[in-house]
Amino acid sequence: RVTDLVKDWGEDTPLIECDVSDEQNVKTAFENAEKSLGKLDTIVHSIAFANREDLGGRFVDTPREGFTTALDISAYSLVSIAKHGSNIMNGGGNIITLTFQASTQVFPGYNVMGTAKAALENIVRQLASDLGPDNIRVNAISAGPLDTLSSRVISHYRVMKSAHAERAPMRRNITPEEVSKAALFLSSDLASGITGEILHVDTGYNIMGI
C-alpha cells in the first residue's frame, strides 16, 4: 500500500521498513533514513493497533495481553520514534502524531484505544518538554471520524460518525484534506511557536456538551 502511495514521486524515493514493535528495527530505520536523506525536518507518527476482539464489548473485559499490545504499538512507539528520529533532526524539527477525542471521553467500542490515545497525548507533552531545547516541536492532531482501514473495525463507528455530523457546530464530518492541511501548518514556520499541543480538527465537535 505504501509503495502505491509514492509511485508517482520518482524511482529514487526511499522506502524504509520501520517495525515499531522491534526497537532495533526502529534504530536501523532511522540510520537508513540518515544515509538516504541526510537529515529529517518532519516526522509524522501515524500508527495504531489493537486486537480486533478488544474493540467492542466491555472495556473491563480487555485482556492484559491485548492492553499491552495496544499501548505498546499505539503509544510507546512515539517515544521510540522520537528518540531515534530526533538524532537526525539537526538544527530542529517537527514531530506530529494523530489522536482522537476518546482520549478524554468514552466512545463505546473504542475501548482500549481510548486508553492508548490518552497515553499518547501525555507522551506528546513529555516529549515536547524533552526536545524543546533542541528546537524540536511535538504536537498531535485530534481528528474527527474518518473512513480508514482502521476505523472500519471499530464497533459502532457508523453511529460515531453520524453523531458527529449531527452535533458538530459545522454540521458535517471532516475530510482527509482538512487533516493534511493541519499537519502541513504544524510542519511549517507558521507554527514555529507551537509545541505540546493537541490541535482539534473535528468541525468543532469537541466543544459541544451533548
Side-chain angles (χ1 to χ4, degrees):
R1 293 191 182 103
V2 177
T3 302
D4 288 340
L5 285 173
V6 302
K7 64 183 179 182
D8 296 329
W9 294 9
E11 295 182 359
D12 59 342
T13 301
L15 290 177
I16 301 168
E17 178 187 86
C18 184
D19 179 355
V20 297
S21 67
D22 182 340
E23 191 67 18
Q24 182 58 48
N25 190 286
V26 177
K27 183 175 183 290
T28 300
F30 284 102
E31 289 173 348
N32 290 335
E34 184 174 25
K35 292 175 184 177
S36 299
L37 303 169
K39 61 168 289 191
L40 291 179
D41 296 308
T42 296
I43 295 172
V44 178
H45 172 269
S46 179
I47 182 172
F49 177 82
N51 294 323
R52 182 188 292 264
E53 57 269 25
D54 298 331
L55 296 175
R58 301 194 309 166
F59 173 74
V60 72
D61 295 324
T62 304
R64 186 180 299 271
E65 181 181 358
F67 185 93
T68 301
T69 296
L71 270 288
D72 180 31
I73 303 301
S74 308
Y76 180 78
S77 60
L78 179 60
V79 180
S80 177
I81 284 175
K83 175 181 178 179
H84 298 292
S86 62
N87 290 332
I88 58 173
M89 286 185 151
N90 303 322
N94 171 55
I95 300 174
I96 301 169
T97 189
L98 299 176
T99 186
F100 181 56
Q101 193 180 356
S103 62
T104 58
Q105 295 171 292
V106 175
F107 282 72
Y110 205 66
N111 289 21
V112 69
M113 279 306 304
T115 307
K117 292 302 187 184
L120 183 70
E121 291 183 11
N122 185 267
I123 288 170
V124 165
R125 292 186 281 272
Q126 302 259 22
L127 292 176
S129 176
D130 277 356
L131 301 178
D134 299 321
N135 196 33
I136 295 174
R137 297 181 292 108
V138 186
N139 295 289
I141 294 174
S142 183
L146 278 175
D147 294 337
T148 65
L149 290 173
S150 298
S151 65
R152 293 171 189 167
V153 303
I154 300 170
S155 61
H156 309 304
Y157 168 71
R158 292 183 182 277
V159 176
M160 185 190 307
K161 186 177 177 182
S162 176
H164 182 108
E166 177 185 342
R167 300 171 187 174
M170 298 179 73
R171 297 296 190 272
R172 65 174 177 83
N173 291 116
I174 61 167
T175 67
E177 289 76 17
E178 288 171 323
V179 178
S180 63
K181 285 187 287 188
L184 185 61
F185 161 69
L186 288 174
S187 300
S188 74
D189 287 340
L190 294 173
S192 61
I194 300 175
T195 193
E197 288 292 331
I198 311 300
L199 177 62
H200 289 90
V201 183
D202 61 357
T203 59
Y205 183 82
N206 74 94
I207 70 170
M208 301 305 291
I210 58 171

